[in-house]
């Protein structure tokens, strides 16, 4: 942890304290499952391509669903 140095405005004394870091957000297995389920639902709803009777989703569409903004779409 880093130290923070502060000056007391009343008497000018400099004091130090440890930086307080926010607590890590804990996600439960149920929350992870809900997130996974929502992501899979969006992937399932994406445009599909049929090749040899099998359905495929473009990787760029999956990246867009996952929030990868730098993915360039070819349309």
């Amino acid at each position: 942890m880093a130290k923070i140095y502060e000056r007391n405005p009343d008497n000018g004394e400099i004091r130090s304290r440890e930086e307080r870091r926010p607590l890590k957000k804990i996600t439960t297995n149920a929350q992870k499952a809900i997130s996974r389920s929502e992501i899979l639902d969006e992937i399932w709803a994406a445009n599909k391509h049929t090749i040899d009777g099998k359905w495929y989703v473009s990787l760029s569409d999956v990246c867009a669903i996952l929030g990868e903004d730098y993915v360039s779409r070819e349309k």
Side-chain angles (χ1 to χ4, degrees):
M1 284 195 166
K3 283 196 171 199
I4 298 175
Y5 295 92
E6 303 171 318
R7 182 180 300 275
N8 186 336
D10 295 332
N11 60 12
E13 177 185 341
I14 297 176
R15 60 182 173 209
S16 66
R17 64 179 171 92
E18 294 292 325
E19 177 185 25
R20 292 187 200 138
R21 298 197 180 211
L23 296 176
K24 291 183 180 179
K25 184 177 179 182
I26 299 173
T27 56
T28 63
N29 287 336
Q31 289 171 328
K32 290 177 187 175
I34 290 170
S35 297
R36 278 191 228 113
S37 176
E38 290 171 354
I39 291 170
L40 290 174
D41 287 345
E42 288 190 43
I43 292 173
W44 180 251
N47 293 334
K48 295 173 194 67
H49 307 280
T50 306
I51 301 173
D52 295 331
K54 296 183 181 182
W55 290 0
Y56 295 92
V57 178
S58 298
L59 184 57
S60 59
D61 291 340
V62 173
C63 290
I65 290 168
L66 295 176
E68 303 295 333
D69 296 337
Y70 57 87
V71 176
S72 62
R73 292 180 167 218
E74 297 177 9
K75 290 191 177 185

